Amino acid sequence: MAFFDFDSISFGLGATSGVLTTLAVQRVARVIRERNAGRERATVRTYASREADEGYLSALVEYARQQHLLGHKIRLEDILIEPRFIPPSPILEIPNPDEPIENVFQKTPIVHDYPHLHAPYNLKTLSIAEISRGHRRIALIGLQGSGRTTALLTIALWSSGFMEFPPQRDSIVEQLESELDPKKDVPIDTQVLRIRRRIAMARLAEQRIGTDEEYASEAKDPTEKDEEVLIEAPSTFRNSAPIYVHLADIVLDSNEYGRQVDPSEPLIRALQHQTGYVVSRRLVNKTYKLLESGNALILVDGFDDIHVSKRPQAIRWMRALMDFYPDNFFIFAMPTEGYGLLMEAGAVPIYLRPWHKQDMSVSVDKIQRGWNKFSRQAIEYDKSFYETIGDYTQTIKPDGNRLSPFDHTLRTWSIFNGNELQEEDEKQVTFADRVHAYLKDILPVVDDVLPELKRAATVQLDRGFITLENLIDYALFKTETGEDPRLTRTLTQEVMALADTSELQVTEDLDDDARKEREKLSQEVSKEQTKLLERFVKAGILISFRGGRYQFKHKIIASYLAAIDLSDARPEIVYRKYVKPDWEYAMNYLAGMRDVDFLVAEHLDDDLDIRFEKVLKLTNWLKYAPEDVPWRNNLLRYLGNVFASPNQFSVVRERVAAALVSSRDAGARVVFRRGIGTKNPDVRRLCCYALGASRDEGAIDALSQVVMQDPIIDNKIAGQMGLVAMGSEEALLTAIDLFDMASDEAVRRAVTENLAADHEVGYPTLKDMLESESITMRRAALYGTSRVNTPWAWILIDRIFQNDTESFVRLASEVVLRQKFETYFYELHPYPDALEMEWFIFWEQTQKDFGVLAYDTEPEEAFEHAFSKSDKPEIRWLVTGTLGQIGEYAMVDKLYNALRDSDANIRDRAYRSLAEFQEQLGKPIPIPIT
């Protein structure tokens, strides 16, 4: 045993030091406890809020709340419209004409790059919870301004427990609550839980019939919790830690990784850039552990924000990341074209649902209610004409029709901010006016630096990123190519003036004094541009990414500013930009700033592609072009002829109709009013949907005639849907008056299931229908009520189930309760391989049993036989259509051959499959020569 000499002085110093250290530790611990007590906590303790790095999660939550158009004013959750998602179309099956129509929206045209045709229809969509229960690889598809970034960040907030989506309160909830007896009635939420548990118990009992462990549901009390009785499938998102990254932060062409690169390295470097030094050091091990354990929810944004030349490399990185860490959940935000390579890697495409008119109405109300939080001035309105601010907001809602979420939010903010002109002014407020007012709000001196902003926007669209170096380089490049730079009244312009007079020589040609003078000027310019970049980032106009790279916070803003930079450039300069994919949105805005006839001619002279995309893109220009441009009527006439052509392929008709509706051009209504009276049933059906989406109240009588007289059930459904989509009092009353004239239940359900999206009119109407004396009305109302995502829907349907005297109605209530319950167990699945589809396996075995195919025939050979040699048209139709859905791109030549099939339905399906190929690949497929 060792002994130590006792030193009283050392002991005293040590004791003092220990006491001070203890006090210091206690002080630090107290400060940390106080700080943590004041920190906002997740509303739900999810895996992310428990296990994710606290510093990173806090930074992500703060970023998510500010990364939206009005993020400099108000938190996201205060104005958020819950994102909904359209699932991929179900795999094709041979339709049975004798079966009743189960899905009244099965013929509703859905065109994702021109979404305003299907926007007003209450399509079946998925919530965040629903997409979290299925396949772990998702491509989230939408247009610029559709809210993809907001959707990704909302998923991050929801998965980490910082956001919930409680049902909105309405008059029916308030009425039901007022009827409760607090002494004997349980709350509404408890009633709903009991209904769902009762259904879950019956479901479990059915599943165990005939097994050794039958479930005796009669012995169970639905008020008691039972671990075996699930009322909802667990959410993968709630058991994952969100990791959000923008592809602009993923640097793939760097030598910092070495020869063998783990695809997580670029991801982790990007995350480190988003956080502070301490968090970034701690983040590395945390992230690797999450990825290796399969507990990460990876949200990748910004694919169409990076330069088009960088996108193939980004796709390869995303696929490698999924291959290296397959147990994690991946969501990639993608444009409406070019996501097929992710499908090949197993990703399921889902589509961001465009805002319904109800969403637009709620958005206006939320911004109005939160206005005092982010504005010093009150909303101005004519108080002599409107009694309340609510009355005023009701008048501005209808005019927001057929706008993207970005444009609608910008318009609402502009109106409330007093930027919109009064009615007596002749000049109409334009998109340009709104953007300029928005920029001035976040940067009051925007007019002084507008030339610099335009130049930065041009650099971004040309090169993908804004850097200090390419701001100067690009200015010099513009002079060399003969473009007028017109930059700004700064030192940078002095450099341009020198270059323009050939006084700025190559550095090697200068003597020492001149070289020093140039270097000095270059340093001053660099310092000036650095300050501007810092200023733009601080204002929230630009975002800083790794490697000294910058982009505009919203690419739409960059496109608008870059368009200004071209507004008086020479035609050949404009054409150079026009042929670059990254300038596509800028061309939309440019059409409202200058004559673009020469570009229109270029569009129309180009060879047509399968999707008619070259021509249809011109309808985006119509939104911004002046009314008197000479090409407007010519374009509408051309598209009208394409739409009404007797032998036109159905997918082309749908795309033309959707593009015309999205154009917001009044002249498009003429095309649809004429078409609704044609002999072609497909044209009539599309016109019904288009007139409803356009809110053309002058077509109410025409739609009524379709409902009453058209022999095609699908057209009657479309007529009723069009009337409900218009939303006016006359149109809705007409739809309800026609209700009992419909002999088919699907036509009646077309009314009720569309009304289910309307909180203000639809909800009370459905409640009244449930109390109607008409059996058919009560039954149809049940299907509509089942689409309502509120607690009272469960209660009212269950009351029908318990109390209605008609078995015909009670049976429907039981069916819709089960359907409503099953949505809590929905799982998203990828398309199967062509040779693994159930119908093909069954058909293949049948053909072998009947001797059509030899028993040793390989599946590939059998599939080829089904595609081209089967004597049954329905089989050839099925194979032809399936190829497009699942993306069998190697079969493109065979699809061209199928365009010569003797059956018109097969030819039409082959053309649609080719159009799906073009959408998935993002490359034009030439139209067949006839």
Side-chain angles (χ1 to χ4, degrees), residues 516-528:
K516 289 179 181 179
E517 186 63 29
R518 173 174 173 159
E519 290 175 355
K520 180 181 177 182
L521 180 60
S522 178
Q523 290 173 1
E524 292 179 4
V525 171
S526 176
K527 188 181 298 183
E528 175 187 81

Side-chain angles (χ1 to χ4, degrees), residues 837-883:
M837 292 180 291
E838 291 184 8
W839 70 263
F840 172 72
I841 295 172
F842 176 78
W843 175 86
E844 181 188 21
Q845 187 60 46
T846 303
Q847 298 302 295
K848 290 179 179 180
D849 291 343
F850 281 96
V852 178
L853 295 174
Y855 272 102
D856 59 352
T857 302
E858 294 295 328
E860 293 82 1
E861 186 179 347
F863 191 84
E864 170 67 24
H865 181 91
F867 180 66
S868 57
K869 299 177 183 178
S870 175
D871 58 355
K872 292 187 176 181
E874 61 269 23
I875 295 298
R876 299 202 307 276
W877 175 87
L878 198 58
V879 177
T880 302
T882 302
L883 292 176

Side-chain angles (χ1 to χ4, degrees), residues 617-655:
K617 282 182 179 178
L618 292 176
T619 60
N620 292 325
W621 299 11
L622 286 179
K623 301 175 188 178
Y624 308 99
E627 291 292 329
D628 58 352
V629 292
W631 52 271
R632 180 181 294 273
N633 290 333
N634 293 335
L635 177 64
L636 292 175
R637 190 180 304 111
Y638 173 82
L639 292 177
N641 291 335
V642 171
F643 174 74
S645 176
N647 298 317
Q648 189 57 266
F649 292 107
S650 61
V651 68
V652 174
R653 277 207 187 97
E654 291 171 10
R655 291 184 58 75

Side-chain angles (χ1 to χ4, degrees), residues 684-705:
R684 296 198 303 273
R685 175 174 54 84
L686 284 173
C687 288
C688 290
Y689 286 113
L691 290 168
S694 302
R695 297 190 186 179
D696 184 2
E697 295 187 43
I700 290 177
D701 289 341
L703 291 176
S704 301
Q705 292 300 313

Side-chain angles (χ1 to χ4, degrees), residues 560-576:
Y560 160 76
L561 290 167
I564 300 177
D565 212 26
L566 285 181
S567 57
D568 54 0
R570 298 196 310 274
E572 60 269 25
I573 302 301
V574 176
Y575 183 77
R576 289 178 194 166

Side-chain angles (χ1 to χ4, degrees), residues 720-765:
Q720 284 286 51
M721 286 191 176
L723 288 169
V724 177
M726 284 182 192
S728 68
E729 183 177 355
E730 182 184 357
L732 291 173
L733 290 175
T734 301
I736 294 172
D737 287 343
L738 294 170
F739 197 86
D740 286 329
M741 296 184 186
S743 58
D744 194 286
E745 183 176 75
V747 181
R748 296 189 288 270
R749 285 174 53 190
V751 177
T752 59
E753 292 199 42
N754 271 293
L755 283 172
D758 190 331
H759 301 189
E760 298 170 2
V761 176
Y763 285 9
T765 303

Side-chain angles (χ1 to χ4, degrees), residues 785-837:
T785 307
S786 71
R787 301 287 309 282
V788 175
N789 188 28
T790 60
W792 61 258
W794 287 96
I795 293 172
L796 295 188
I797 296 172
D798 191 59
R799 284 181 182 178
I800 296 287
F801 176 71
Q802 301 288 349
N803 303 319
D804 202 290
T805 57
E806 295 291 339
S807 59
F808 185 62
V809 178
R810 286 202 311 277
L811 178 62
S813 66
E814 184 179 15
V815 170
V816 300
L817 277 174
R818 178 61 70 92
Q819 290 175 345
K820 193 171 178 63
F821 180 81
E822 292 297 337
T823 61
Y824 289 90
F825 293 85
Y826 174 87
E827 288 189 6
L828 194 64
H829 294 290
Y831 288 135
D833 182 79
L835 303 180
E836 297 174 353
M837 292 180 291

